[in-house]
Amino acid sequence: MSHQILLLLAVLTQGLATSQQRDKVPCEMVDKEVSCQGLGLLQVPSMLPRDIEALDLSGNQLRSILASPLGFYMALRHLDLSTNEISFIQTGVFQALPHLEHLNLARNRLAAGTVLSAPGLGPLPRVTSLDLSGNSLYSGLVERLLGEAPALLTLSLAENSLTRLARHTFWGTPALERLDLHSNVLMDIEDGAFEALPHLAHLNLSRNSLTCISDFSLQQLRVLDLSCNSIEAFQTAPEPWAEYQLAWLDLRENKLLHFPDLAALPRLIYLNVSNNLIRLPAGPPQGGEGIHAPSEGWSALPFSNPSRNASSHPLSQLLNLDLSYNEIELVPEGFLEPLTSLRFLNLSRNCLRGFAVPGAAFLPCLVHLDVSHNALATLALASRALGSLRTLLLQDNALQDLPPYTFAGLASLQRLNLQGNRVRPCGGPGEPGALGCVAFSGLSSLRVLNLVDNEMERLRAGAFLHTPLTELDLSANPGLDVVTGALAGLEASLEVLALQGNGLAVLQVDLPCFSCLKRLNLAENRLSRLPAWTQAVSLEVLDLRNNSFSLLPGSAMGGLETSLRRLYLQGNPLSCCGNGWLAAQLHQGRVDVDGTQDLTCRFGSQEEVALSHVRPEDCEKGGLKNVNLIIILTFALVLAILLTTLATCCCVRRQKFGQQYKA
C-alpha cells in the first residue's frame, strides 16, 4: 500500500513539474505590463506575477476564459483578449477582477458559444472601455451579453450583424459617451434607443443600411457619423427650443437628394455631404420663405429666411463644408454668403458651369477652395475678394478667355492649379498680351502654379515677373515656345520646374542661373544638349527620359556631382563611349540612375547593350581602331598627293620637251 502511495506522489509531482514547465511561456514583461501576443496559447498562463496591471493575450488560440487562473491577477486594469477563438466565458470571471477598466474581446466567436446564456459577461462594475467588435453578434444577443456596466464610457459593437437596436439595448450602460456601431446591417433604430444615454457624445453609425433620419433628437450628441448608408433625408425633431450640441456631421456616400435640414444645429463646424445626389435649387420657392418645404432642405438654406441675420444663421460657425461628388449645376445666390466662418469648401466633381464671388465680404475666412472637375466656363472674382484664400483648385474645367487680372485680387493666394483648362499667360508688364490672356506677374503671394495641359503655344518674356514661384509645372503643352526670358524673375525662388511632354528641341532657359532649383523634369521632349552647370546649383533630381541625348559630357554635368541625387535617362539613344561622366556615376554610386538595369547604349551602329556592362577597355579598343583608321587614311591621302604632284611634274616636263623639239 505504501508503495502505491509513493508511486502516486511521484506521478503527481512529475505532472505538476510538467504543468509548470508548460506555463513558462515566453511572454514579455515591462514593469507591470505583460504581452503574450501571438504565442499560440490555448489557455491563460498561470505562472505570471500576481500584481500585473496589463495583460495582452491577443492573437492566440484561446477558446474559453475561466475564473482560474485569470482570477489570480486581481490587480489587472487592462485585459486584451482580442483575435482569439473565445466562445465560452465563465460566469462572474470579470466581476472577480475588481480593478478591471479596459476589456477587449474583439474578433472572437462570442455569438457561437454559451457565453450568451444568462448572465452574459456579468456585471462590469469598473470597466470604462469595452470592445465587442467582430463577433458576428446579431440583434437580441447584445442585450443578453451586456450586463450592468455603470462606469462604461466607450463601447464598440462594430463589424457585427446587428439589424435593429431595441429600446432597452443600452439600459445597463447609463454613463456611455462613445458608441461605435459601424459596419453592421442596421435598418431600424427603435424610438428611445438612445434615451438611456444622456452623456452620449460620439455616435458612429456608418456603413449600415439606414434609409432616413426623420426625427433626430440627440441634443447632447457632438459627433455623428452616418456615412455609407442609404439615407435619402435628414431632419431634426420639431423641438423649437432644443439646444443641439452637434458639431461634426458626416453624411457622405448616401442618397440625399437635397441639402439636409440643419436649421436646428447652430454649433455645426464640420459637414460632409459628398457622394450624394444633391441638387441645389435655383432660388427660394415662390409665396413663402421655404419653411413649408422641409423635405426639400429649404429650412437650412441661407435665403430661406431673408430677415435672418447672417451671424445668427445655423451654419454661421461652419468651418468645413464638403459638397463634392454631387449633381450641383449652380450655387444659388446667397447660399454661401452667411458662411462667414468657413475655411474649407469643396465643390469638386459636380456640374458647375460658372462660379462667382460677389464681394470682399463673401467667405472672408476661406483658405481652401476646390472647384475642380466641373464644367466651369466662367470665373468671376470681385476685387479684393477671398482675402484669406491660400489654395485655389480649378483643374479639369473649361476655363478660357478669363479677364486678365482674374487672380490679381487674391491677396493671400499661395497655390493655384489650372491644369486641364485653356488658360494663356500674358507677358510681363509692358509686354503686349494676347487677347484673353491671364496675367501671372505681380502675384506676390503665389508660390505654386500648375498650367499643365492648357494648349499653350507661347510663353512670353516676363510672364512671371515679381511672382516668387517655388513650383511651376508647364508640362503637356505640345509645341510650347518658351521664349528667352520667359522665366525671368524666378532665378532666386524656383525649386521645382516641369517642362515634360512639350516637344522642346532647344531649351531657351538659362538653367544654371536658377540657384535654388532642386527638381527639374524635362522628360518626353526632343532635347540633345544641356547647358553647363556650375558648382553653385543645388539640383537634386533631373528627369531626362525619352529625349535625344547621346552624350552627357562631364563639361556640362560635372557641376552637378555634389548635389545631384537621382537621374532618369531611359529612352535616350546613349552612346556607349564618350559618356565617361555617366559611367563614373554608375560605378561610384554617387548618383542614383533610376532603372540602371534597363539603361542601354550603342557602339556606333551596333545593337543596343546594357550600359552597366560596358567596360572602359571596350571603348579603348574602339578608340584604337579609330586611331589606326585615321593613320591609314592620312597615309593614303599623303601618298595620293605625292603621286598627283609627280604626275603633274612629268606632264609639265614633257610639254616643255615637246616645245623645244618643235623649235
Side-chain angles (χ1 to χ4, degrees):
M1 183 69 179
S2 59
H3 177 72
Q4 293 177 346
I5 293 174
L6 290 174
L7 181 61
L8 178 61
L9 289 175
V11 170
L12 291 175
T13 303
Q14 183 178 3
L16 179 61
T18 302
S19 175
Q20 291 177 346
Q21 184 68 26
R22 185 175 61 248
D23 280 338
K24 292 182 179 179
V25 293
C27 298
E28 297 180 0
M29 182 171 179
V30 178
D31 295 330
K32 295 185 178 183
E33 298 182 1
V34 177
S35 175
C36 303
Q37 182 181 15
L39 298 178
L41 300 179
L42 299 176
Q43 61 184 18
V44 177
S46 61
M47 301 300 291
L48 300 174
R50 295 294 187 263
D51 62 344
I52 61 173
E53 297 182 358
L55 176 58
D56 185 353
L57 289 166
S58 63
N60 285 288
Q61 300 175 30
L62 306 180
R63 290 185 173 89
S64 59
I65 302 298
L66 306 178
S68 175
L70 187 60
F72 297 163
Y73 310 118
M74 301 285 290
L76 271 182
R77 297 180 182 274
H78 298 255
L79 177 58
D80 191 343
L81 296 168
S82 63
T83 318
N84 279 281
E85 301 174 14
I86 299 171
S87 60
F88 175 79
I89 298 177
Q90 186 174 351
T91 302
V93 64
F94 300 124
Q95 189 178 6
L97 302 175
H99 302 289
L100 187 62
E101 297 177 358
H102 304 279
L103 176 58
N104 190 344
L105 284 162
R107 296 177 296 282
N108 277 283
R109 303 177 60 191
L110 298 183
T114 57
V115 68
L116 295 172
S117 59
L121 295 179
L124 303 172
R126 295 192 61 177
V127 172
T128 60
S129 173
L130 175 60
D131 192 342
L132 297 173
S133 60
N135 276 284
S136 301
L137 301 174
Y138 50 92
S139 299
L141 298 184
V142 173
E143 292 84 346
R144 277 187 274 164
L145 185 61
L146 286 176
E148 294 295 325
L152 193 63
L153 302 177
T154 301
L155 172 62
S156 177
L157 291 167
E159 300 174 8
N160 282 293
S161 302
L162 303 177
T163 58
R164 185 174 185 271
L165 290 181
R167 183 181 179 87
H168 59 281
T169 301
F170 305 109
W171 281 4
T173 58
L176 204 61
E177 295 179 356
R178 304 176 70 98
L179 177 58
D180 190 351
L181 289 158
H182 85 265
S183 301
N184 278 277
V185 202
L186 286 172
M187 294 181 285
D188 181 32
I189 300 176
E190 187 176 346
D191 290 342
F194 301 116
E195 285 184 358
L197 307 176
H199 305 290
L200 187 63
H202 295 251
L203 177 58
N204 189 344
L205 288 165
S206 64
R207 299 188 181 279
N208 279 281
S209 301
L210 301 172
T211 59
C212 181
I213 305 295
S214 57
D215 290 308
F216 176 76
S217 58
L218 299 177
Q219 298 181 31
Q220 79 282 14
L221 207 62
R222 301 180 68 86
V223 175
L224 176 59
D225 191 345
L226 290 166
S227 61
C228 304
N229 279 275
S230 299
I231 298 172
E232 298 180 2
F234 178 93
Q235 292 180 350
T236 55
E239 300 178 15
W241 305 111
E243 294 185 3
Y244 287 93
Q245 304 299 312
L246 195 65
W248 197 96
L249 176 59
D250 193 341
L251 283 163
R252 71 182 188 275
E253 294 187 46
N254 279 284
K255 297 180 180 180
L256 291 172
L257 299 175
H258 309 286
F259 196 76
D261 176 8
L262 306 173
L265 306 177
R267 299 178 184 271
L268 204 62
I269 61 174
Y270 175 92
L271 174 61
N272 190 337
V273 288
S274 62
N275 283 276
N276 279 279
L277 305 171
I278 295 175
R279 290 188 178 186
L280 297 178
Q286 296 182 356
E289 296 177 349
I291 57 175
H292 303 294
S295 63
E296 299 293 320
W298 281 96
S299 59
L301 297 181
F303 46 70
S304 63
N305 190 346
S307 62
R308 177 185 286 158
N309 190 330
S311 62
S312 65
H313 185 266
L315 300 182
S316 61
Q317 296 188 35
L318 197 65
L319 299 179
N320 191 316
L321 174 58
D322 193 339
L323 281 160
S324 61
Y325 288 91
N326 278 285
E327 298 180 5
I328 301 172
E329 296 181 356
L330 61 87
V331 178
E333 183 179 354
F335 174 70
L336 297 172
E337 191 169 354
L339 310 184
T340 52
S341 301
L342 197 66
R343 294 176 60 84
F344 301 91
L345 174 60
N346 190 346
L347 282 162
S348 66
R349 306 281 182 175
N350 276 282
C351 309
L352 293 171
R353 297 185 178 276
F355 188 79
V357 178
F362 185 86
L363 301 176
C365 297
L366 195 68
V367 298
H368 183 103
L369 174 58
D370 189 347
V371 203
S372 63
H373 301 280
N374 278 277
L376 290 182
T378 61
L379 178 65
L381 304 178
S383 177
R384 296 189 299 276
L386 303 176
S388 301
L389 192 67
R390 297 178 185 175
T391 300
L392 178 56
L393 305 180
L394 294 164
Q395 65 266 31
D396 294 306
N397 279 287
L399 296 172
Q400 62 181 350
D401 298 329
L402 293 175
Y405 299 102
T406 297
F407 307 108
L410 302 177
S412 302
L413 188 64
Q414 297 179 2
R415 183 181 296 267
L416 176 59
N417 192 334
L418 285 162
Q419 179 175 343
N421 286 279
R422 300 295 176 266
V423 174
R424 292 169 293 173
C426 298
E431 287 284 331
L435 184 63
C437 70
V438 177
F440 292 102
S441 60
L443 305 181
S444 59
S445 63
L446 192 62
R447 296 295 181 269
V448 180
L449 177 60
N450 187 329
L451 288 169
V452 173
D453 187 22
N454 269 264
E455 297 185 2
M456 294 187 299
E457 298 178 354
R458 186 178 179 83
L459 193 62
R460 301 175 181 275
F464 308 107
L465 278 175
H466 312 300
T467 300
L469 294 174
T470 58
E471 297 183 24
L472 175 61
D473 197 338
L474 300 168
S475 303
N477 288 285
L480 177 64
D481 179 15
V482 183
V483 305
T484 303
L487 303 184
L490 301 179
E491 293 85 354
S493 64
L494 199 61
E495 298 178 4
V496 179
L497 173 62
L499 289 163
Q500 179 178 351
N502 290 325
L504 299 174
V506 178
L507 193 61
Q508 300 186 99
V509 180
D510 195 1
L511 292 173
C513 293
F514 291 77
S515 57
C516 296
L517 196 62
K518 290 181 172 58
R519 300 177 63 92
L520 176 61
N521 186 350
L522 296 172
E524 298 175 18
N525 285 288
R526 294 183 290 118
L527 299 172
S528 58
R529 295 182 59 190
L530 286 175
W533 269 279
T534 64
Q535 295 289 343
V537 298
S538 54
L539 194 66
E540 297 176 358
V541 179
L542 176 59
D543 192 342
L544 299 174
R545 288 175 293 181
N546 299 318
N547 274 279
S548 301
F549 290 99
S550 60
L551 296 176
L552 290 176
S555 58
M557 306 294 291
L560 299 178
E561 289 183 357
T562 57
S563 63
L564 197 62
R565 296 292 177 265
R566 184 172 289 270
L567 177 63
Y568 298 87
L569 274 171
Q570 297 93 330
N572 281 283
L574 294 172
S575 172
C576 294
C577 300
N579 274 310
W581 178 86
L582 180 57
Q585 307 312 308
L586 286 176
H587 291 295
Q588 297 174 14
R590 288 181 296 188
V591 177
D592 182 7
V593 181
D594 191 73
T596 302
Q597 300 300 323
D598 299 324
L599 205 58
T600 59
C601 63
R602 289 177 181 272
F603 285 106
S605 60
Q606 299 178 10
E607 293 184 0
E608 292 183 345
V609 297
L611 182 61
S612 58
H613 295 164
V614 177
R615 299 169 300 176
E617 53 267 28
D618 295 334
C619 292
E620 291 175 3
K621 291 177 181 178
L624 184 60
K625 291 179 181 178
N626 291 336
V627 171
N628 292 336
L629 181 60
I630 291 173
I631 293 173
I632 293 171
L633 291 176
T634 303
F635 178 76
L637 180 60
V638 171
L639 183 60
I641 292 173
L642 290 175
L643 292 174
T644 303
T645 303
L646 289 173
T648 303
C649 291
C650 290
C651 290
V652 170
R653 288 187 176 184
R654 185 178 299 173
Q655 289 176 359
K656 289 182 178 180
F657 179 78
Q659 290 174 358
Q660 292 176 357
Y661 179 78
K662 290 178 180 180

